[in-house]
Amino acid sequence: MDDLGFILLSYIATFGSTAVLAWRVLHRGRALGGQLPDDDKPWV
Amino acid sequence: MRRTEIVSTNTGTTGTTFTRWFGLLAVVALALVAVFGLVLSPPDVVQGESVRILYLHVGTVWVAYLAFVVTAVSSAAYLWKRSSSLTWDRVAGASAEIGVLYMGVTLLTGALWGRLSWGTFWVWDARVTTTAFMFITYIGYLAVRGLGGSHRQRARRSAVVALLAVLEIPLVHFSVELWRSVHQDASVAGRTTDVTLDGLMLFTLLLSTVAFTLVYVWFVLHRQRVLAMEDALDDRGLDYALIERRREGAMR
């Protein structure tokens, strides 16, 4: 049962850090996208 | 005046229809890793329940290796021709960031697993120590990217660092063979391994590597677009400053 805390912590840390980075990247993208014309965004 | 015009013509973010579907696929794959890793796969006969941590440990270290190799290849592609597109440099930078994140996660999950299996969070073992050294090296690489100068200067100096840093990967990988190590050898693709994995455990391990690879690709696509926009904004900022200086000069 001691193992459960360590196992859950490893899953929370892995998925949590992935989610935080994803949110930061998308948020930064939205913030910058609002300051630039489409010419600077070839993927649009 | 021009600034107002620029702001009014913006649309979209870093996402496209493709990246949205790709991101959804990655999320589903990660959810499956959690279900198989925590619930459906059986405990190991030797390690017991702690083997569930290794599904994350192996998947994330694979992505970290992949990310650092992509960083090196993109850096080499940039240096190959000085006139190369800065996209190579941005892919290298984006890839290294994801690699650092997952190398950090690898060290953390390794420490948690080590506490359960070895009775301690940390040992000065060859594999563990070289992995920590590589982690610090790539933090240094990201710091070098943040130094001042033009985009081309940043690309050139960070590419050189990336090509040197990638030499650590074989050192880390073969450290368990080169030195005495408490870290286990490769369980699936090792040259001398005779370990037999349960079908569901092997499936979960492979699912994890595929899931984290999908996440990695999604991250690189978005992050290198963010870096492209940061560079573009830098360039435009310089344009505005030059226009202002010329205006000031004309008024004198």
Side-chain angles (χ1 to χ4, degrees):
Chain A
M1 211 51 198
D2 274 354
D3 296 5
L4 187 64
F6 286 92
I7 293 165
L8 287 179
L9 182 59
S10 65
Y11 277 76
I12 290 167
T14 306
F15 294 142
S17 60
T18 302
V20 167
L21 184 66
W23 181 84
R24 280 197 62 186
V25 169
L26 291 176
H27 183 74
R28 181 88 176 129
R30 282 201 189 97
L32 292 175
Q35 299 174 48
L36 286 166
D38 289 349
D39 297 348
D40 288 323
K41 294 176 270 183
W43 57 90
V44 172
Chain B
M1 187 70 184
R2 193 176 160 206
R3 190 182 288 263
T4 311
E5 190 184 319
I6 285 168
V7 172
S8 67
T9 57
N10 86 82
T11 54
T13 59
T14 51
T16 58
T17 307
F18 173 75
T19 59
R20 282 182 199 107
W21 281 106
F22 200 88
L24 187 65
L25 184 66
V27 169
V28 170
L30 279 185
L32 286 174
V33 170
V35 171
F36 276 90
L38 288 171
V39 182
L40 299 180
S41 69
D44 185 69
V45 285
V46 178
Q47 300 178 38
E49 299 290 346
S50 69
V51 73
R52 301 185 190 285
I53 296 176
L54 295 187
Y55 299 128
L56 303 175
H57 187 69
V58 174
T60 52
V61 79
W62 150 254
V63 163
Y65 280 172
L66 173 70
F68 296 151
V69 168
V70 168
T71 296
V73 170
S74 302
S75 299
Y78 177 78
L79 287 179
W80 193 260
K81 274 177 117 181
R82 286 283 173 85
S83 58
S84 289
S85 164
L86 278 167
T87 302
W88 288 115
D89 169 65
R90 293 179 199 120
V91 169
S95 186
E97 286 180 15
I98 319 307
V100 165
L101 171 78
Y102 283 123
M103 189 52 85
V105 169
T106 299
L107 286 168
L108 178 70
T109 53
L112 293 171
W113 179 86
R115 180 71 182 80
L116 296 174
S117 300
W118 301 334
T120 179
F121 287 107
W122 185 266
V123 284
W124 290 102
D125 167 78
R127 169 65 69 81
V128 180
T129 308
T130 51
T131 303
F133 186 70
M134 185 158 75
F135 177 63
I136 292 165
T137 303
Y138 276 92
I139 289 176
Y141 167 83
L142 294 179
V144 166
R145 291 188 66 84
L147 297 174
S150 69
H151 303 326
R152 297 248 168 229
Q153 284 171 332
R154 174 199 67 198
R156 198 163 52 244
R157 68 172 174 244
S158 55
V160 173
V161 175
L163 289 176
L164 291 173
V166 78
L167 298 176
E168 287 180 59
I169 291 181
L171 183 74
V172 172
H173 187 72
F174 293 111
S175 60
V176 286
E177 293 177 22
L178 291 172
W179 295 287
R180 277 173 181 273
S181 177
V182 293
H183 194 285
Q184 69 193 64
D185 201 354
S187 304
V188 179
R191 279 179 293 175
T192 57
T193 185
D194 58 351
V195 175
T196 308
L197 274 177
D198 173 85
L200 209 49
M201 292 168 87
L202 183 63
F203 173 76
T204 310
L205 209 54
L206 294 176
L207 178 68
S208 168
T209 55
V210 171
F212 283 106
T213 305
L214 292 174
V215 172
Y216 162 76
V217 173
W218 183 89
F219 265 129
V220 171
L221 283 171
H222 281 273
R223 185 62 185 135
Q224 65 91 16
R225 287 171 184 171
V226 169
L227 291 174
M229 288 197 288
E230 284 176 350
D231 284 354
L233 210 59
D234 256 6
D235 293 339
R236 284 181 182 275
L238 194 63
D239 287 346
Y240 294 141
L242 286 172
I243 290 166
E244 285 298 312
R245 290 302 293 270
R246 281 188 194 125
R247 230 181 248 164
E248 281 172 20
M251 284 170 74
R252 279 178 194 162

